């Protein structure tokens, strides 16, 4: 069996070897998930809810351990890794309320009654990327299990360790063997098999837009359901009337969190012309003050990139442009790169148009509200974005005008497990999280009963 050596991105030291599943291993796991499906579907709603809550409780008891694994495997800061493990627990708890609330409807008809049912799909495949191994695992797994599906998960090759551990915790919590199976392996082998195996009824994919398009095309062959959470090039729009100090203090965290390896990274900053110079001065101070440290240090605010390959990919973008200023970065081993600010010269530059997925932000001035919305929308992506203004009317108009799934006003963050998350345009298809997520893992069946 082939294996993959997991490397600590902050030290470049090997952490452990993980066996990679073959197509046959994947088929066996999918078939097992299908065998277990009828029993899991038929678990009484209150009992499935109790099992989900017990799963959440066991994850809660292991938050520190899971965070420690993620710090070593993904180079995430302690603060982030602890939040991420807690997010899995919270997602499980939130969706543990779903089994008893998978409501259908009663629709008025002549000659009888008409009712609808939400019925689980069967086996669901979740393909997870390396940038947020724990949250993205939980966002797919928790609502899918809650609505009565069995789940197979392919973690990213680079970051399988927390997924494998959470899979063990599910068994410890009493979930039946086969209800949730973690299958580490290559995207082109395990992930691709989720797409082609007829027993997998839905694929939830998070990753690059390029692979997402292949997944969607592959799913079309069996009219397989799919949810896609893809790339982003989100705008952070700063109006001159905003609290500029607050906006400049938040902007680095809106893009450099997780070393910029975040599909929601606000990697384009648009500043209203009269505030441009003042904002840049404030931004420079806050970028230079960032604590870019080994994530094993609990004060670290930004860690390394995930791999040497990712650092090279990001460096290619930086080599094409003039850098205005950078923040700090450690010397020595590790895939480090400082937070980097670039003044865009044209909206045609790659740095302005493409998802860099590293700690790089481009800044551009704008003239007025209409220009801000037009520039923000001048992108094939539409995942998230922020805007800073003290004018509530303008905030609403601009938030409604920007073509993106998740907008934050006077704030840099918008992903909460109890609110919907997903993209416009090439940022994705469908929504995750929020109150409706369990329904996305069901078919709605209509039944008419004659009097
Ligand atoms: P990918 O899209 O290749 O990987 C995401 C996940 O999909 C991984 O689990 C991967 O497996 C799997 N995968 C890859 N190919 C296939 C396939 N043919 N069929 C099924 N599953 C597949 O992203 P990369 O890791 O290559 O990152 C490249 C770029 O993508 C980044 O620089 C960034 O711009 C973007 N990206 C965006 C993310 C987001 O959240 N929007 C997340 C990750 C990347 P494996 O790990 O084995 O490759």
């Amino acid at each position: 069996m082939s294996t993959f050596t997991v490397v600590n991105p902050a030290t470049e030291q090997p952490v452990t070897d993980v066996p990679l599943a073959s197509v046959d291993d994947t088929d066996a796991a999918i078939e097992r998930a299908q065998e277990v499906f009828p029993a899991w579907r038929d678990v009484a709603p209150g009992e499935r809810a109790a099992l989900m809550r017990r799963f959440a409780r066991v994850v809660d008891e292991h938050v520190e351990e899971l965070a420690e694994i993620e710090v070593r495997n993904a180079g995430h800061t302690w603060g982030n890794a602890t939040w991420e493990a807690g997010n899995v627990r919270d997602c499980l708890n939130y969706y543990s309320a779903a089994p008893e609330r998978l409501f259908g409807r009663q629709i008025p008809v002549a000659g009888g009654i008409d009712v609808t049912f939400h019925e689980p799909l069967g086996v669901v495949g979740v393909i997870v990327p390396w940038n947020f191994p724990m949250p993205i695992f939980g966002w797919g797994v928790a609502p899918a299990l809650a609505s009565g599906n069995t789940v197979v998960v392919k973690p990213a090759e680079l970051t399988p360790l927390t997924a494998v551990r959470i899979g063990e915790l599910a068994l410890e919590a009493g979930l039946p063997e086969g209800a949730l199976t973690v299958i580490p392996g290559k995207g082109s082998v395990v992930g691709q098999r989720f797409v082609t195996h007829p027993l997998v009824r839905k694929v939830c994919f998070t990753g690059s837009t390029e692979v997402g398009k292949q997944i969607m095309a592959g799913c079309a062959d069996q009219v397989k359901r799919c949810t896609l959470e893809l790339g982003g090039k989100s705008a952070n729009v700063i109006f001159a009337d905003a609290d500029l100090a607050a906006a400049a203090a938040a902007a680095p965290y809106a893009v450099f969190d997780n070393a910029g390896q975040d599909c929601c990274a606000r990697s384009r900053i648009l500043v209203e012309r009269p505030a441009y110079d003042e904002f840049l001065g404030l931004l420079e101070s806050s970028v230079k003050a960032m604590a870019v440290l080994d994530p094993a240090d609990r004060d670290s605010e930004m860690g390394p990139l995930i791999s040497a390959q990712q650092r090279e990919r990001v460096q290619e973008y930086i080599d094409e442009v003039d850098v205005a200023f950078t923040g700090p970065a450690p010397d020595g081993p590790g895939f480090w790169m400082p937070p980097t600010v670039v003044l865009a010269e044209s909206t045609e530059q790659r740095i302005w148009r493409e998802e860099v997925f590293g700690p790089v932000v481009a800044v551009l001035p704008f003239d007025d509200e209409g220009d801000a919305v037009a520039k923000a929308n001048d992108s094939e992506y539409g995942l998230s974005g922020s805007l800073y203004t003290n004018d509530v009317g303008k905030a609403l108009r601009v938030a409604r005008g920007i073509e993106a799934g998740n907008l934050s006003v006077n704030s840099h963050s918008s992903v909460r497990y109890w609110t919907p998350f997903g993209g416009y345009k090439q940022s994705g298809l469908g929504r995750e999280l929020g109150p409706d997520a369990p329904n996305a893992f069901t078919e709605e069946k209509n039944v008419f009963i004659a009097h």
Side-chain angles (χ1 to χ4, degrees):
M1 183 181 253
S2 61
T3 59
F4 181 83
T5 303
V6 171
V7 169
N8 180 335
T11 62
E12 301 182 38
Q13 293 302 309
V15 176
T16 184
D17 287 340
V18 175
L20 296 177
S22 64
V23 170
D24 287 346
D25 300 331
T26 310
D27 283 0
I30 292 169
E31 280 153 27
R32 179 76 189 126
Q34 175 64 26
E35 267 167 43
V36 173
F37 168 61
W40 179 245
R41 176 194 59 202
D42 294 341
V43 171
E47 224 177 288
R48 196 157 67 236
L51 275 167
M52 298 283 297
R53 282 193 286 273
R54 203 180 312 150
F55 187 8
R57 204 157 55 240
V58 175
V59 170
D60 186 51
E61 287 160 9
H62 292 81
V63 162
E64 182 82 4
E65 179 197 334
L66 290 165
E68 193 272 331
I69 296 173
E70 208 66 297
V71 170
R72 267 191 302 144
N73 185 169
H76 288 197
T77 61
W78 265 104
N80 280 8
T82 307
W83 180 89
E84 288 157 16
N87 185 255
V88 176
R89 169 204 58 216
D90 294 343
C91 246
L92 289 167
N93 264 329
Y94 180 68
Y95 290 112
S96 75
E100 294 144 317
R101 292 173 177 79
L102 269 184
F103 303 128
R105 290 178 291 185
Q106 179 267 312
I107 300 171
V109 288
I113 63 163
D114 190 283
V115 285
T116 66
F117 297 90
H118 282 281
E119 303 203 332
L121 303 170
V123 181
V124 169
V126 179
I127 301 174
V128 182
W130 45 260
N131 59 331
F132 288 111
M134 283 194 277
I136 292 168
F137 176 106
W139 300 355
V141 166
L145 283 175
S147 37
N149 303 277
T150 53
V151 186
V152 287
V153 181
K154 193 208 91 68
E157 248 177 292
L158 295 171
T159 56
L161 301 184
T162 45
V164 169
R165 187 68 187 118
I166 297 169
E168 293 166 0
L169 297 178
L171 293 177
E172 213 176 284
L175 259 74
E177 188 270 322
L180 170 63
T181 312
V182 177
I183 317 171
K186 284 183 182 294
S188 55
V189 177
V190 180
Q192 182 59 20
R193 193 63 186 132
F194 290 1
V195 174
T196 58
H197 200 302
L199 287 176
V200 176
R201 294 295 167 80
K202 175 168 180 166
V203 174
C204 295
F205 172 81
T206 304
S208 60
T209 297
E210 190 190 341
V211 174
K213 287 177 185 175
Q214 293 167 20
I215 302 270
M216 190 173 173
C219 285
D221 194 45
Q222 295 167 17
V223 196
K224 188 172 289 194
R225 281 77 181 122
C226 67
T227 307
L228 305 173
E229 296 292 356
L230 310 176
K233 192 72 190 174
S234 299
N236 187 359
V237 183
I238 321 288
F239 285 96
D241 68 37
D243 179 342
L244 292 185
Y253 300 95
V255 58
F256 301 140
D257 188 56
N258 206 30
Q261 303 165 118
D262 181 344
C263 48
C264 289
R266 275 71 163 163
S267 54
R268 294 184 297 155
I269 301 182
L270 285 159
V271 191
E272 200 167 10
R273 219 172 276 279
Y276 185 73
D277 290 337
E278 185 185 347
F279 178 81
L280 269 185
L282 292 164
L283 182 67
E284 183 164 3
S285 308
S286 46
V287 168
K288 292 204 147 101
M290 282 192 84
V292 183
L293 303 168
D294 185 330
D297 181 331
R298 291 192 185 229
D299 292 330
S300 174
E301 293 180 320
M302 187 184 117
L305 290 170
I306 189 70
S307 64
Q309 190 201 12
Q310 190 64 13
R311 187 170 58 179
E312 275 164 35
R313 214 180 261 163
V314 177
Q315 189 63 45
E316 281 174 21
Y317 285 95
I318 295 179
D319 290 343
E320 291 176 4
V321 293
D322 291 328
V323 169
F325 52 86
T326 70
D331 296 327
F335 310 121
W336 295 98
M337 180 167 271
T340 300
V341 178
V342 171
L343 306 183
E345 284 159 8
S346 141
T347 57
E348 296 310 312
Q349 284 176 291
R350 281 202 329 135
I351 199 86
W352 188 258
R353 303 209 77 80
E354 295 182 13
E355 181 173 56
V356 176
F357 231 60
V360 187
V361 70
V363 189
L364 191 72
F366 67 86
D367 293 316
D368 56 25
E369 193 179 313
D371 188 32
V373 172
K375 284 198 163 89
N377 286 341
D378 179 20
S379 169
E380 67 194 22
Y381 295 116
L383 189 54
S384 63
S386 289
L387 60 114
Y388 284 80
T389 173
N390 281 324
D391 176 339
V392 79
K394 196 192 309 184
L396 273 173
R397 286 191 302 274
V398 175
R400 296 295 300 270
I402 294 179
E403 298 163 344
N406 302 83
L407 273 299
S408 310
V409 177
N410 296 327
S411 162
H412 68 73
S413 162
S414 55
V415 185
R416 297 176 180 82
Y417 57 82
W418 65 100
T419 60
F421 175 67
Y424 279 38
K425 303 190 274 188
Q426 294 194 31
S427 284
L429 186 74
R431 291 291 178 272
E432 295 192 296
L433 301 176
D436 300 327
N439 285 348
F441 293 95
T442 65
E443 293 289 359
E444 189 173 27
K445 180 180 284 176
N446 191 69
V447 178
F448 169 71
I449 305 161
H451 283 161

